């Protein structure tokens, strides 16, 4: 898929891609670890863990897979509680406005809840998103992405996925979509590049490059 003229849909991750939630995540993770009895992350480990895929992080912290739905629900509740403290990255609202004005359909694919996503986006920005595919399990993004494309009647070759985690890349690859990584999210940019991201975006304004060819740029 050549982004731009052949791009019918841009699928965006939320946490770490649109919203700057990593500091909040680090702030609440200690109490979540105590509640669900997995190991707390020491400050000196953060940089290393940002280079690892989700399964490796879970193994390092001792999180059994069966606990993931419980932890996710609890984290969603905390995010709803703290939604007023969560904000979009600078430039994201403008980039989404540009995509909308260019006539490119957009969707949010997230493990977070649609209610939380909409609350942080705010009504104006949320209204620019054409579809929401939220509430995916930690390792269920590929299945949710396939369902989204099936409902919209769009082939993977016409889809550009944008995210900040290795599992976002894995989901796009499993479905057959192009993937651009962002350098400002949860995962270390070098790890995303090494894993084979088609492109690494250094700032939110570059999101508009997905549609520049269609605008004659």
């Amino acid at each position: 898929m050549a982004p731009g003229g052949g791009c019918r849909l841009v699928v965006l991750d939320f946490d770490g891609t649109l919203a700057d939630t990593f500091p909040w995540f680090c702030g609440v993770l200690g109490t979540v670890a105590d509640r669900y009895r997995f190991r707390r992350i020491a400050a000196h480990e953060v940089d290393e863990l940002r280079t690892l895929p989700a399964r490796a992080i879970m193994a390092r912290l001792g999180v059994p897979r069966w606990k993931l739905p419980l932890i996710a629900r609890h984290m969603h509740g905390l995010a709803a509680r703290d939604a007023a403290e969560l904000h979009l990255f600078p430039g994201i609202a403008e980039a989404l406005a540009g995509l909308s004005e260019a006539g490119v359909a957009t969707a949010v694919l997230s493990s977070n809840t649609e209610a939380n996503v909409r609350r942080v986006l705010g009504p104006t920005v949320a209204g620019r998103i054409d579809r929401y595919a939220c509430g995916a399990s930690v390792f269920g993004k590929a299945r949710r992405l396939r369902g989204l494309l099936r409902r919209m009647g769009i082939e993977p070759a016409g889809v550009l996925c944008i995210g900040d985690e290795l599992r976002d890349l894995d989901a796009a690859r499993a479905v057959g979509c192009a993937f651009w990584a962002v350098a400002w999210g949860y995962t270390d940019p070098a790890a995303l590049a090494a894993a084979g991201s088609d492109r690494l975006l250094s700032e939110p304004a570059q999101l508009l490059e997905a549609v520049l060819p269609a605008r004659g740029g």
Side-chain angles (χ1 to χ4, degrees):
M1 189 270 288
C7 181
R8 296 186 58 199
L9 175 68
V10 176
V11 179
L12 300 143
D13 173 56
F14 177 70
D15 288 284
T17 300
L18 301 181
D20 185 8
T21 59
F22 187 66
W24 169 85
F25 176 82
C26 292
V28 301
L29 190 59
T31 58
V32 176
D34 294 344
R35 180 185 180 101
Y36 292 98
R37 299 181 183 277
F38 60 89
R39 189 171 66 79
R40 280 180 172 240
I41 297 175
H44 71 272
E45 296 179 285
V46 173
D47 287 344
E48 181 188 0
L49 291 176
R50 291 183 66 233
T51 69
L52 301 177
R55 284 185 174 85
I57 295 173
M58 288 169 49
R60 184 76 63 88
L61 300 183
V63 181
R65 188 157 177 167
W66 67 266
K67 284 188 179 181
L68 286 179
L70 301 174
I71 295 170
R73 280 196 294 271
H74 184 66
M75 293 292 289
H76 294 162
L78 295 178
R81 180 197 70 186
D82 299 335
E85 303 172 20
L86 306 178
H87 304 285
L88 301 182
F89 285 102
I92 287 295
E94 293 80 2
L96 292 175
L99 291 172
S100 178
E101 290 165 6
V104 174
T106 54
V108 171
L109 172 66
S110 177
S111 297
N112 213 324
T113 67
E114 183 173 338
N116 286 345
V117 170
R118 285 181 176 273
R119 191 174 294 118
V120 176
L121 289 177
T124 299
V125 178
R128 294 194 172 104
I129 303 297
D130 296 285
R131 295 291 183 100
Y132 290 84
C134 297
S137 64
V138 172
F139 299 114
K141 281 195 165 184
R143 180 168 60 86
R144 193 60 60 93
L145 179 59
R146 287 192 187 94
L148 172 68
L149 302 192
R150 185 169 57 250
R151 290 192 301 275
M152 296 186 72
I154 298 177
E155 293 297 320
V159 178
L160 170 62
C161 295
I162 298 176
D164 70 307
E165 293 186 60
L166 293 168
R167 65 192 179 103
D168 297 328
L169 188 157
D170 291 342
R173 290 286 181 263
V175 178
C177 301
F179 180 81
W180 288 3
V182 304
W184 55 81
Y186 281 52
T187 299
D188 184 275
L192 289 162
S197 173
D198 297 314
R199 187 162 185 166
L200 183 66
L201 306 180
S202 61
E203 58 183 26
Q206 291 180 323
L207 290 172
L208 287 176
E209 292 187 17
V211 299
L212 284 180
R215 302 166 103 188

